[in-house]
Amino acid sequence: MEIKEITDGIYAAPTIHWDRRLFDELIPLPDGTSYNAYIVKGDEKTALIDTADPSKQQELLDALEEMEVDINYIIANHAEQDHSGSIPAVLERYPNAKVLCTPKCKVMLVEHLLINEDVITAMDDGSTISLGGKTLEFVHTPWVHWPETMSTYLQEDHILFSCDFFGSHLATSDLFVKDKPEVYKAAKRYYAEIMMPFRNAVRKNMDKIKVLHIDIIAPSHGQIYNEPEFIIDAYRDWISDDVKNEVVIPYVSMHGSTAAMVDYLVDALMERGITVKPFNLAVADIGELAMALVDAATIVIGTPTVLAGPHPSAVYAAYLANALRPKTRFASIVGSYGWGGRMAEDIQGLIKDLKVELIEPVIIKGYPKEEDFKMLDRLADDIFKKHEEIQMKK
Ligand code: FEO
C-alpha cells in the first residue's frame, strides 16, 4: 500500500482489494473494493480514521510503520469489520492509542470485535478533539449503514470523512475521482445495495451535513471526491421521491413460457415509450438489479410455478427487492403454470414492505396464446396509464 498525502498533514491509506468479488457473501463486487484509512497529523497528536478489513490488516500496519508515525487516536466511524476489523491489531501495535466513536459504536466494538471497553471513549454528537491545529468534529450520522455510524469532519481543512456514506466499491489506483461516469455507476450500485433501505435516514443525514462547509468528501470505500457536489447531487436525486418512467422485470423461466411472456411485455412497454430493464435471474448480477430499482416506477416479477409456488430464483429476487425498499410505486406479476398453484399470492406476500399498488397480474396456463398476449397488452396499457398519472401529479 502506498500512503498518499491529500493535503498538508492529511494522508490517505487505502488498502485496495483488487480481486474481491463478493461482500457479505451476498453483494457482487465486479470492480473490487478498497478500505480507506486516513491519517491526520496535528502539531501534538495524530489520529487514524478507520482501518481496514482484517484480511488486509498487515498491509495497513506495514504502511503505518513505514511512515514512522505514532497513533494517539483511532477514530471508528463504523463498527463493521471492513473498517474496524483491524482495530485490535492496530491497538496491539500502538497500545497507548484511544478509540473514539459513537456511544452505540462503543457497545458494538466490544461485542463484535472483543475490544476492551476501557480503551474506547464514546463521543457525543457535535463533540470535538484537537490534534493541535487540526480539529476533528464527530457528526453522528446513524443508519449509513448501521445504527452507530458517524462521519468525522476536519474543521480547518473542510474534509468530511464519511466512511460508508457516499462510498463506492471500486478498486482503483487513482486517489481522487477521475472518471466521473465510472464512479457514478459504482456509487449508485453501492447506494442501491447498502443505503437504499435507509433512504429516510440518508435524507436526514444529508440535511445534517448541509451546514458544514465541505471541500472534500473522503469515504472509506472508493475514490475521494474533491468536487463534493458531484456525489451530493447524485444522492439528492436517488433519495428523492421522484421515480422514472421505467419498468424493472426480474424473471426466470424453465421451459420458455414465462420468457415468451416477458419478451412480449418488454416490447409492448417499449412501444409505449417506457424504458424497460429485464433481468434473467438465471444469469443476472443482483447488483445491477438493485441499481435499476433505485429509479424505476414499476417492478414486474416473472416466474413459472414450481411445486405450487414461485420459482426459488423469483422468491430470492422478490425478497431482495422487499428488503432493499426502493421507492417503486407499482408492482405486477407475470408467469405460467402447468396445473395450478398459488404463485401470485406467494409473490405478493413476499413484497409486503414495498409501498406499491398492485396492477392486476397476468398468470396463464402453459405457453402464451393469443388471448394471453392480449392480457399482456392490457398490463402494458395499465402500467402506461399509471406512469402518466404520476407524471400528472408532479
Ligand atoms: Fe463498509 Fe458498512 O461497511
Side-chain angles (χ1 to χ4, degrees), residues 56-314:
K56 296 285 183 185
Q57 69 184 26
Q58 197 56 47
E59 279 187 40
L60 177 63
L61 291 173
D62 290 349
L64 292 174
E65 190 158 310
E66 199 171 310
M67 199 178 174
E68 295 182 0
V69 67
D70 191 23
I71 302 294
N72 307 107
Y73 298 111
I74 303 167
I75 314 297
N77 280 324
H78 179 19
E80 194 167 6
Q81 287 78 353
D82 52 328
H83 308 291
S84 287
S86 296
I87 291 178
V90 175
L91 279 171
E92 207 168 299
R93 184 70 61 91
Y94 303 94
N96 295 321
K98 294 278 171 219
V99 179
L100 309 181
C101 60
T102 65
K104 278 187 184 159
C105 187
K106 176 172 179 172
V107 176
M108 291 175 116
L109 292 176
V110 173
E111 285 177 347
H112 293 274
L113 296 167
L114 311 180
I115 297 172
N116 180 350
E117 66 177 321
D118 295 342
V119 304
I120 309 173
T121 304
M123 305 302 291
D124 289 335
D125 188 21
S127 62
T128 58
I129 55 156
S130 174
L131 306 175
K134 303 252 185 232
T135 311
L136 297 178
E137 177 181 343
F138 304 109
V139 184
H140 291 196
T141 47
W143 295 108
V144 290
H145 156 218
W146 285 359
E148 88 302 358
T149 44
M150 71 172 185
S151 299
T152 299
Y153 178 63
L154 177 51
Q155 291 179 345
E156 291 79 2
D157 298 273
H158 308 138
I159 301 176
L160 186 74
F161 299 96
S162 58
C163 201
D164 278 352
F165 199 13
F166 304 119
S168 62
H169 284 310
L170 196 57
T172 158
S173 54
D174 295 317
L175 188 59
F176 289 94
V177 172
K178 198 170 174 188
D179 181 341
K180 279 188 180 168
E182 180 191 44
V183 174
Y184 180 91
K185 196 171 176 204
K188 186 171 186 182
R189 175 187 272 265
Y190 189 88
Y191 167 84
E193 294 161 339
I194 306 290
M195 300 291 162
M196 189 158 65
F198 313 113
R199 191 164 65 97
N200 289 334
V202 172
R203 184 179 289 161
K204 281 184 198 150
N205 287 318
M206 296 279 294
D207 288 343
K208 189 166 184 181
I209 63 164
K210 218 190 269 178
V211 298
L212 302 173
H213 171 171
I214 299 171
D215 288 333
I216 290 176
I217 292 180
S220 293
H221 293 293
Q223 291 171 315
I224 298 173
Y225 304 92
N226 50 7
E227 292 175 34
E229 283 309 313
F230 161 61
I231 191 67
I232 288 173
D233 288 347
Y235 260 66
R236 278 199 194 112
D237 178 31
W238 301 333
I239 63 170
S240 77
D241 290 330
D242 297 338
V243 286
K244 294 192 176 146
N245 186 24
E246 294 179 6
V247 177
V248 175
I249 311 181
Y251 74 96
V252 57
S253 187
M254 292 161 70
H255 303 296
S257 303
T258 301
M261 297 176 76
V262 168
D263 285 349
Y264 189 88
L265 180 63
V266 167
D267 287 347
L269 291 166
M270 285 168 62
E271 280 164 19
R272 287 159 179 80
I274 297 171
T275 299
V276 196
K277 296 182 178 175
F279 292 90
N280 179 347
L281 295 167
V283 293
D285 170 340
I286 60 154
E288 297 275 342
L289 170 60
M291 217 185 328
L293 288 170
V294 169
D295 304 310
T298 298
I299 179 172
V300 177
I301 296 170
T303 174
T305 300
V306 184
L307 301 173
H311 189 286
S313 296

